[in-house]
Amino acid sequence: MPWPTLNDPVHDSQRLFRQLLTAMSEPGTLHTLEVPSPPGDDIGPALWGVLLTLCDLDTRVWLAPALDGPALQEALVFHTGCRLTADPAEADFALVTPGVLAEPIAFALGSDEYPDRSTTLLVALDTLEPAGEWYLTGPGIALQRQLGLGVAAAPLMARLAANRGSFPCGLDAILTCGARLAALPRSTRIEEVA
């Protein structure tokens, strides 16, 4: 089965980009993307839509071994023109699962002069709910928000919580599950519900 593209590439990518900007400016809010579903169960429509929207000829993408495969590589390069990299420290975007982050992978964190030169994590999750085991506070959140990501997301959230120690450097994350997504910029403070 071929990997689908956006029905109206110009207008759909603009719509999806606006949704991503809203998600980044309001961390932890859930958004549903209307995107054609890719084949298989490894990545859902939201993650595929994010890849189609953010990746282009100038971006480098690292694929976690659990998600990597010739079909996805071919589809990404064909539909976006992005460059695949074997070095996570060179990646603009890293396509990951939470379990991958239990390992100390050296993603780019940016520098004091160029904090924007960091890797953005694009995360495939099994669970993404508006209430659950994680409290979120910080810019874009009036008081606090909660997210439910399931037990398997603990390595991911520990990695993102560590951003506080290196701000303004750090990792941004776009979390996806099926057609839904939420964003956690590096400025978000993350605490596990006691």
Side-chain angles (χ1 to χ4, degrees):
M1 178 178 182
W3 287 66
T5 188
L6 300 174
N7 295 325
D8 182 347
V10 173
H11 292 104
D12 286 349
S13 63
Q14 291 173 347
R15 175 180 50 80
L16 294 173
F17 189 72
R18 284 192 299 272
Q19 284 184 281
L20 287 169
L21 287 177
T22 301
M24 275 291 186
S25 65
E26 299 172 358
T29 57
L30 296 187
H31 303 265
T32 301
L33 302 189
E34 294 179 16
V35 182
S37 293
D41 298 328
D42 293 336
I43 68 172
L47 187 47
W48 181 236
V50 170
L51 290 164
L52 291 174
T53 302
L54 296 180
C55 296
D56 60 24
L57 297 170
D58 295 324
T59 56
R60 294 162 297 186
V61 178
W62 181 78
L63 304 173
L67 299 172
D68 196 0
L72 176 58
Q73 289 181 17
E74 184 179 319
L76 264 176
V77 172
F78 178 77
H79 287 298
T80 70
C82 71
R83 294 173 285 149
L84 301 177
T85 180
D87 183 357
E90 291 181 353
D92 300 301
F93 300 104
L95 186 59
V96 300
T97 59
V100 168
L101 300 172
E103 302 295 323
I105 299 172
F107 295 112
L109 299 178
S111 65
D112 289 338
E113 296 81 16
Y114 300 102
D116 58 315
R117 294 184 183 170
S118 64
T119 303
T120 297
L121 303 178
L122 308 178
V123 187
L125 295 165
D126 293 326
T127 303
L128 181 58
E129 299 296 335
E133 62 275 5
W134 300 99
Y135 283 131
L136 311 175
T137 57
I141 302 171
L143 296 173
Q144 72 177 18
R145 288 197 181 100
Q146 281 186 273
L147 273 182
L149 307 177
V151 177
L156 163 71
M157 298 306 273
R159 185 78 184 258
L160 295 177
N163 278 333
R164 291 178 72 178
S166 59
F167 191 83
C169 299
L171 301 170
D172 298 315
I174 297 173
L175 314 177
T176 68
C177 179
R180 290 181 297 177
L181 71 76
L184 295 178
R186 69 192 74 180
S187 59
T188 304
R189 292 183 290 282
I190 299 168
E191 295 179 61
E192 192 167 6
V193 175

